[in-house]
Amino acid sequence: MNVTLNIIGAGHVGKVLGRLFAGVEGVAVQDVLTRSVASAQAAVAFIGAGTPVDSYVALRHADVTMLAVSDDQIGPACAALVAEGRQAGAIVFHCSGALASNMLLAATQAGAFVASAHPIRSFADPAQVAATFDGTFCGVEGDPLALAFLTPALNAIGARPVPIDPAAKTLYHAAAVFASNYLVTVLDAALRAYQAAGIPEPVARELAQPLVTEAVANVFRLGAAPALSGPIARGDSATVQRQQLAVQSWDAATGELYRALVAPTQDLARRKRGG
């Protein structure tokens, strides 16, 4: 592997991947383009390689270009890259979890091979992520020739590439929202309900923690259906109905959340029973 890599967009994801790819034998980070020369210089300093540039015109031809820009900038960045030419036979990939590689249609039409590679991590602390990236799953999809580069390159930085269906990319990203963001929303409802029952917030967190950690551990040890417990799993519909009314009376919006979760949990209970 002997390739040159340009980076467009060097926020947290771009900086981390840039630093990691720079350490792969045969990959040479070449030019880095961001919103300003100052941020490009800062990115190059973090990456430890590359040359900051101030425009698409200044970008030299590269074998591979990584678009680590925000989702709404992927299309415009790709179009600007293609407008400068020299993309025939090159590889262009983006790092979005929500958008598929077909967002790079302009590059495809220019003769490039396209893909997406989405690291499934929080990038709040780039230095910490770069130091602990080994084992990080990355959802990948795209042209076979693009993946022929990306898959071994990701393996080389310690990632675990997972092929995904590009047609289901939005659903794939929604899975992460369920697993992370909505889990926090449900836990917030639990903590607020404890407080409404007279338990101080710090104590509420202590009460909830063993329930949460044991439930989550059981899901990943046994699977979701076997891990389900509680009144719905026991078939105690009277308790469920009383709870729903009590939550609705306390807080209407949280009552709607409780109600919305009943039917999916009943389906899960049926799977637990094998029905």
Side-chain angles (χ1 to χ4, degrees):
M1 182 191 306
N2 284 288
V3 300
T4 50
L5 171 67
N6 282 351
I7 300 172
I8 299 175
H12 290 178
V13 176
K15 288 194 298 187
V16 169
L17 292 182
R19 176 186 282 190
L20 295 171
F21 284 137
V24 175
E25 185 176 357
V27 176
V29 174
Q30 184 174 255
D31 294 332
V32 178
L33 173 65
T34 65
R35 294 180 184 271
S36 70
V37 174
S39 63
Q41 290 170 336
V44 166
F46 182 91
I47 292 167
T51 300
V53 298
D54 60 1
S55 67
Y56 285 89
V57 175
L59 286 171
R60 289 168 287 178
H61 169 74
D63 301 307
V64 182
T65 298
M66 175 172 68
L67 301 181
V69 296
S70 60
D71 285 5
D72 63 342
Q73 290 300 307
I74 289 174
C78 183
L81 176 67
V82 168
E84 297 305 319
R86 308 187 307 275
Q87 294 307 310
I91 293 170
V92 180
F93 73 97
H94 69 66
C95 303
S96 170
L99 301 175
S101 58
N102 60 11
M103 287 299 296
L104 304 174
L105 178 61
T108 299
Q109 293 173 335
F113 303 103
V114 303
S116 71
H118 171 239
I120 305 171
R121 282 288 293 270
S122 168
F123 282 80
D125 183 343
Q128 190 268 342
V129 175
T132 61
F133 195 78
D134 195 51
T136 296
F137 285 96
C138 289
V140 298
E141 54 86 14
D143 295 332
L145 283 173
L147 295 179
F149 161 76
L150 268 180
T151 300
L154 289 168
N155 285 328
I157 64 174
R160 300 176 66 181
V162 178
I164 58 177
D165 178 358
K169 191 71 179 284
T170 301
L171 191 60
Y172 153 86
H173 196 250
V177 171
F178 274 114
S180 179
N181 310 142
Y182 288 160
L183 177 60
V184 174
T185 303
V186 170
L187 292 178
D188 175 65
L191 295 176
R192 288 187 293 105
Y194 273 135
Q195 291 170 75
I199 299 171
E201 196 272 344
V203 180
R205 279 188 274 131
E206 290 188 49
L207 284 176
Q209 185 173 3
L211 292 174
V212 174
T213 55
E214 289 168 15
V216 170
N218 285 338
V219 167
F220 294 124
R221 184 169 61 90
L222 304 171
L228 183 67
S229 61
I232 290 179
R234 295 191 300 269
D236 187 356
S237 58
T239 295
V240 173
Q241 186 172 14
R242 285 198 304 273
Q243 287 183 354
Q244 183 172 333
L245 289 172
V247 175
Q248 188 76 38
S249 176
W250 158 59
D251 183 82
T254 308
E256 286 302 302
L257 177 62
Y258 187 103
R259 182 193 60 77
L261 291 171
V262 170
T265 308
Q266 289 171 333
D267 289 341
L268 193 59
R270 281 191 284 271
R271 284 161 49 195
K272 178 172 182 168
R273 294 192 297 268

